[in-house]
Amino acid sequence: MKLPCGLLVSVLALVLSACATDAERKTTSGSLPPPPAPPPAGEHYTIRPGDLLTISFAGEPTLTQQVRVDWNGLISVPILAADGKAEVKAAGSSPSRLAERISETARSNQMLVNARAQVLVMEYAGQAYAVLGQIAQPGRYTFPKGVPAQLPIEEAVALAGGCTRLARQSKVLVKRGTQVYEVNLERLASQPDQTRVIIIPGDVITVPERRF
């Protein structure tokens, strides 16, 4: 039986597309590379736009505020000016250096006689991952506060409520940049000696559905 020319072209296109997908999967699947070194914390961390900061003053609990660094690197600290309008450059400084600058400004403006500010980074910009597919609560998740932005994949999935009963845990996909990797969650759970798979900011975990 001879196929119409248009139908033959469509069939060939589908076959070529499937072959390309298989080839891409072969080149992109494999073991995840080790995570990069975590960003330095404390005095060595450099504040970035998007970070969420807590600013407090010793002996002045009512003046504590949370503020997010805007995309120009600035934060608003009303206590530093009589009219309540004061912006401070935060991006590029360490938390301790920013605290010193805020303290100096508060004293020079005579807003606080003995100002001693403290700055804590409560949330790091862009420190999130996504979990999709057969997950109880799919969505975007930020890493826990106070720890490096790295999680074993089991914990990352658990924070999203865990897998559903339809999940195919032996073929979980992790997209990192332009690469896609397969992870066998069942093997990780049953064989403790397996190399740990670490999730980092920007990763997308997809848990597919089981084939019946």
Side-chain angles (χ1 to χ4, degrees), residues 90-150:
S93 296
S94 66
S96 59
R97 181 67 192 97
L98 178 59
E100 291 174 6
R101 190 180 307 135
I102 291 173
S103 299
E104 292 166 2
T105 303
R107 287 193 294 265
S108 63
N109 290 350
Q110 299 183 345
M111 300 306 296
L112 289 173
V113 176
N114 188 25
R116 285 179 295 148
Q118 182 180 29
V119 175
L120 297 175
V121 181
M122 304 304 294
E123 184 179 300
Y124 297 96
Q127 304 295 284
Y129 64 95
V131 191
L132 308 173
Q134 293 299 320
I135 287 292
Q137 300 169 13
R140 185 174 181 272
Y141 290 85
T142 56
F143 288 82
K145 297 175 183 176
V147 298
Q150 298 178 8

Side-chain angles (χ1 to χ4, degrees), residues 58-69:
E60 301 286 349
T62 59
L63 300 181
T64 299
Q65 70 170 96
Q66 279 198 342
V67 60
R68 194 172 296 277
V69 184

Side-chain angles (χ1 to χ4, degrees), residues 28 32 38 48 55 59-60 75 88 97 109 118-119 130 150 153 156 168 185:
T28 58
L32 266 77
R48 298 182 298 170
I55 300 171
E60 301 286 349
I75 57 172
V88 178
R97 181 67 192 97
N109 290 350
Q118 182 180 29
V119 175
Q150 298 178 8
I153 189 171
R168 189 183 186 189
L185 279 181

Side-chain angles (χ1 to χ4, degrees), residues 33-41 45 48 127 147-151 176 198-201:
Y45 177 74
R48 298 182 298 170
Q127 304 295 284
V147 298
Q150 298 178 8
L151 277 177
R176 178 173 297 172
I198 302 299
I199 298 302
I200 62 174

